[in-house]
Amino acid sequence: MSTPLEKWVEESARLTQPDKIVWCDGSEEENSRFLAGLMHDGIITELNETTYPRCYLNRRNPNDVARTESVTFICTSKKDDAGPTNNWMSPADGKARVRPILEDSMKGRTMFVAPYILGPQNSPYSRVGVEITDSRYVVASMRIMSRMGKAAMDRIGNSDNFVPGLHALAGVNPERRFVMHFPEEKLIWSVGSGYGGNALLGKKCFALRIASWMARSEGWMAEHMLILGLEDPSGKVTYMAAAFPSACGKTNLAMMVSALESQGYRVWTVGDDIAWMHIGADGTLRAINPENGFFGVAPGTNAQTNPNVMAALRHDTIFTNVAISGAREPWWEGIGTPPPPGLIDWKGEPWSPEKGPAAHPNSRYTVPARQSPSISAHWEDPEGVPISAIIFGGRRERLAPLVYESRSWQHGVFVGATMASETTAATTGAVGVPRRDPMAMIPFCGYNMADYFQHWLEMGPKIKHPPKIFHVNWFRKDASGKFLWPGYGENVRVLKWMLDRIEGRAAATETPIGFVPAPGSLTLDGLAISRPVVDELQRVDAHDWSAEAEATAKFFEIFGDRLPAEIRSENKALQDRLHRTTVAAK
Ligand code: GTP
Ligand code: SPV
Ligand code: MN
């Protein structure tokens, strides 16, 4: 009798017709074999073995360098269950569309079966997935990004308790590229791309889209959030989770070297992209990081902005679409050194300035989390860490102040639901265009977002000690287009204010949108920033916010009657408060 896993592997092999099937155990020896094979096939190149031991560069096909949201689908029986913000097909149509692409796609190739655990190995909140793929680059990346191998296989045993994901490169053809989710049967099919979020199925596909569906039905939360611990001078650590859209600063915040270290404030990393949060026995919201590594944006990362990641990247790292120097060291725009001699760009061609960026704007590194000097001693705690603050944020050139605190859980959910941000290179399409991105989950929520807001509203009252909810914006600009706030390690000043709010130590000023730091309550000593700039960073313009509230109301219309009444009434209450201040100002 074959097990459910064996049955699914046989079925997948019948469909894709590989020459060979390899079951992955995740061992060191196996990994070395895969890396040697990848080098032999010219898919990866080894970097400088002295300065970057066991580091590799993968150059992707230029048509395959970012997530492709336009071909990402949620396949549910009812269209309404996927909601207006997701691409939808019925499960039957989704399979009919992709099956012909999968058919015989592994002929002459090897099929790898990679079982993996999401979350600490011994956590009750962890889940198991299995990815079938014909890409060794995917397997090698999954080994860094998840707990891949024997332990996962042991956990599955004869059970059907795993999320299957079938991935095939299928010629890496953008015309035949689909990332399909079948949340009702908890199945993933991905074809035509080998890029990160499209192909490492444990990441966005399982840990967010499928997991968010599971989380709603089981009473927990799967979120696009970093998790960090802020240590205070007494040594006490307070944990916070933050949702920013792709390429808006999660990794950098989670791994920052604090500008207030001399005052005793340090930041510890628990996770940089995804948080799974459950209500713990102690009545706190407990977060685990389902991942085991960081798949981070390279450009802009340097010894000043993120020394922790720069240290982590010096060994056992896979780089994707960065440039390399004549000395075979990785290089990217904003690494902090001028373009080195003999620079080869991400396409593999000699670089010259008129060619534009040498590294792709969405070039990335894949690195084991434990390699970061900032990794928290509690990052693998089975019960997770208790979350005291939830932070929402995005890129807003204008409008949103540096930081504000919501009035209540319900208002905080509204703040998350009204998030918007300018688009980045993390996904294909135009960059810098404002778009609505509630809770940074627009590309990742596996069901109707109106139901997702409802789920958020219902979770709050169930948490005995609910986190406070804040909103931040590191990206406000002055008239000349310069960032007003220095960002990066200086962001700890904002985290410290939040901590002081949690502890009831810091004063705040009420505005129509929420509470901003009262004058003097934000720690600014040692920072060369003028009073007018601080005022501008904190300015809440009632007219601009009224226009925003109208735009938000319009956005919410797409959800029709399914939108929770609380969200509508929060927007109405905001408009009333804004109206009162504009009238008072007259
Ligand atoms: P994903 O991995 O796509 O989810 O991105 P992320 O949210 O982890 O973003 P990341 O930390 O990689 O930052 C993306 C870009 O924003 C990089 O180019 C950073 O240099 C830049 N960035 C991060 N933090 C700040 C900040 O505080 N201020 C400014 N101005 N830029 C920042
Ligand atoms: C993101 O785009 O949010 C990422 C990179 O973290 S990917 O894994 O491609 O989704
Ligand atoms: Mn992300």
Side-chain angles (χ1 to χ4, degrees):
M1 266 302 277
S2 50
T3 65
L5 176 55
E6 286 164 348
K7 268 204 204 113
W8 173 63
V9 170
E10 284 157 23
E11 197 183 289
S12 303
R14 255 198 315 278
L15 180 61
T16 58
Q17 294 292 318
D19 275 14
K20 206 167 111 186
I21 301 178
V22 171
W23 292 72
C24 305
D25 62 17
S27 66
E28 204 60 69
E29 181 277 320
E30 175 188 85
N31 189 47
S32 306
R33 197 153 33 84
F34 291 167
L35 292 170
L38 283 164
M39 280 192 281
H40 177 265
D41 295 348
I43 294 165
I44 60 171
T45 1
E46 194 166 12
L47 298 183
N48 189 310
E49 42 285 273
T50 313
T51 53
Y52 284 86
R54 297 174 305 284
C55 289
Y56 304 88
L57 167 67
N58 170 251
R59 290 196 189 101
R60 301 226 59 76
N61 187 319
N63 79 32
D64 189 31
V65 295
R67 279 185 296 103
T68 42
E69 293 175 10
S70 58
V71 292
T72 300
F73 285 80
I74 301 296
C75 304
T76 46
S77 317
K78 288 192 223 125
K79 186 167 195 280
D80 253 5
D81 288 342
T85 61
N86 279 310
N87 298 314
W88 174 83
M89 275 190 215
S90 73
D93 286 351
K95 285 184 184 170
R97 194 79 185 75
V98 174
R99 193 175 285 110
I101 305 171
L102 282 168
E103 245 163 45
D104 297 343
S105 64
M106 298 190 191
K107 251 198 180 130
R109 303 177 60 78
T110 301
M111 168 188 275
F112 300 92
V113 182
Y116 59 90
I117 300 174
L118 294 182
Q121 200 177 310
N122 54 352
S123 169
Y125 305 135
S126 294
R127 300 289 167 123
V128 187
V130 181
E131 176 156 0
I132 291 179
T133 177
D134 60 347
S135 160
R136 273 173 308 197
Y137 163 77
V138 165
V139 178
S141 301
M142 283 295 287
R143 184 171 182 270
I144 297 175
M145 293 307 297
S146 69
R147 285 132 179 118
M148 193 275 280
K150 189 174 175 305
M153 193 67 90
D154 292 346
R155 198 151 144 171
I156 297 169
N158 298 328
S159 80
D160 62 356
N161 199 1
F162 64 93
V163 170
L166 175 54
H167 169 253
L169 289 173
V172 191
N173 179 350
E175 307 295 314
R176 288 155 59 89
R177 179 172 296 160
F178 290 98
V179 186
M180 297 296 196
H181 305 75
F182 306 94
E184 287 155 355
E185 54 178 311
K186 301 187 179 61
L187 169 72
I188 305 155
W189 276 8
S190 167
V191 291
S193 166
Y195 172 77
N198 288 341
L200 311 181
L201 302 186
K203 200 171 174 50
K204 297 307 174 28
C205 300
F206 180 174
L208 286 178
R209 298 195 191 96
I210 298 290
S212 62
W213 177 287
M214 295 165 121
R216 181 187 45 154
S217 63
E218 297 167 11
W220 52 284
M221 308 167 93
E223 301 297 332
H224 191 201
M225 290 181 178
L226 67 89
I227 309 163
L228 63 78
L230 176 62
E231 183 178 328
D232 74 8
S234 75
K236 183 178 159 203
V237 180
T238 301
Y239 295 92
M240 308 180 174
F244 309 153
S246 300
C248 290
K250 288 183 299 301
T251 302
N252 277 277
L253 190 69
M255 301 180 75
M256 86 157 90
V257 172
S258 150
L260 297 178
E261 203 160 306
S262 63
Q263 296 185 26
Y265 292 91
R266 284 193 68 148
V267 168
W268 298 102
T269 313
V270 177
D272 84 319
D273 197 51
I274 301 177
W276 283 359
M277 303 193 286
H278 293 74
I279 301 172
D282 60 354
T284 62
L285 191 60
R286 294 257 156 192
I288 62 163
N289 172 8
E291 301 192 279
N292 192 38
F294 307 128
F295 183 59
V297 179
T301 309
N302 63 53
Q304 269 70 51
T305 55
N306 194 340
N308 282 319
V309 106
M310 290 305 279
L313 301 181
R314 292 311 289 248
H315 62 99
D316 298 280
T317 300
I318 301 176
F319 294 89
T320 301
N321 292 337
V322 300
I324 53 168
S325 70
R328 283 185 297 120
E329 293 185 340
W331 191 88
W332 49 77
E333 278 66 27
I335 198 172
T337 54
L343 191 64
I344 306 290
D345 72 11
W346 66 276
K347 291 181 176 161
E349 291 160 14
W351 180 79
S352 53
E354 72 278 1
K355 284 191 168 172
H360 188 276
N362 191 38
S363 54
R364 296 205 175 227
Y365 50 79
T366 310
V367 64
R370 62 169 182 279
Q371 287 182 202
S372 174
S374 65
I375 198 74
S376 160
H378 299 283
W379 86 283
E380 295 190 288
D381 280 7
E383 296 294 328
V385 294
I387 298 297
S388 302
I390 286 175
I391 307 167
F392 294 120
R395 288 177 188 262
R396 301 302 301 261
E397 284 192 25
R398 292 162 49 79
L399 196 77
L402 180 63
V403 57
Y404 63 99
E405 181 187 325
S406 65
R407 306 163 63 90
S408 63
W409 177 272
Q410 178 175 304
H411 177 239
V413 174
F414 169 77
V415 168
T418 55
M419 263 171 69
S421 191
E422 286 126 25
T423 53
T424 66
T427 162
T428 52
V431 170
V433 185
R435 84 158 167 179
R436 293 276 147 199
D437 193 354
M439 283 85 168
M441 282 290 277
I442 274 277
F444 308 121
C445 186
Y447 61 101
N448 190 319
M449 278 200 115
D451 301 348
Y452 171 81
F453 300 149
Q454 184 64 42
H455 180 49
W456 263 85
L457 290 167
E458 285 169 15
M459 283 298 288
K462 291 186 197 157
I463 311 167
K464 194 159 155 226
H465 309 289
K468 272 184 180 292
I469 301 179
F470 298 89
H471 187 281
V472 299
N473 179 23
W474 316 138
F475 300 95
R476 202 164 186 172
K477 289 181 175 170
D478 65 14
S480 72
K482 251 189 65 210
F483 290 120
L484 288 163
W485 179 247
Y488 301 102
E490 305 293 350
N491 292 334
V492 73
R493 298 171 187 276
V494 174
L495 301 183
K496 176 179 180 287
W497 183 76
M498 292 175 188
L499 172 62
D500 289 342
R501 290 294 294 165
I502 293 163
E503 301 281 338
R505 286 192 294 252
T509 306
E510 187 172 355
T511 78
I513 63 167
F515 299 93
V516 299
S521 70
L522 199 58
T523 305
L524 293 172
D525 44 304
L527 188 62
I529 190 165
S530 69
R531 192 70 239 174
V533 170
V534 176
D535 291 345
E536 175 59 17
L537 274 164
Q538 287 295 83
R539 194 167 56 86
V540 175
D541 184 302
H543 288 283
D544 289 354
W545 275 97
S546 293
E548 174 77 1
E550 261 170 56
T552 321
K554 209 167 164 63
F555 166 67
F556 284 145
E557 277 173 22
I558 63 173
F559 298 104
D561 290 346
R562 210 141 158 166
L563 186 77
E566 291 89 338
I567 299 290
R568 229 181 284 275
S569 65
E570 283 291 343
N571 204 27
K572 172 81 175 55
L574 170 65
Q575 284 172 316
D576 289 347
R577 289 193 302 269
L578 287 164
H579 183 69
R580 281 199 298 275
T581 45
T582 43
V583 168
K586 281 200 179 124

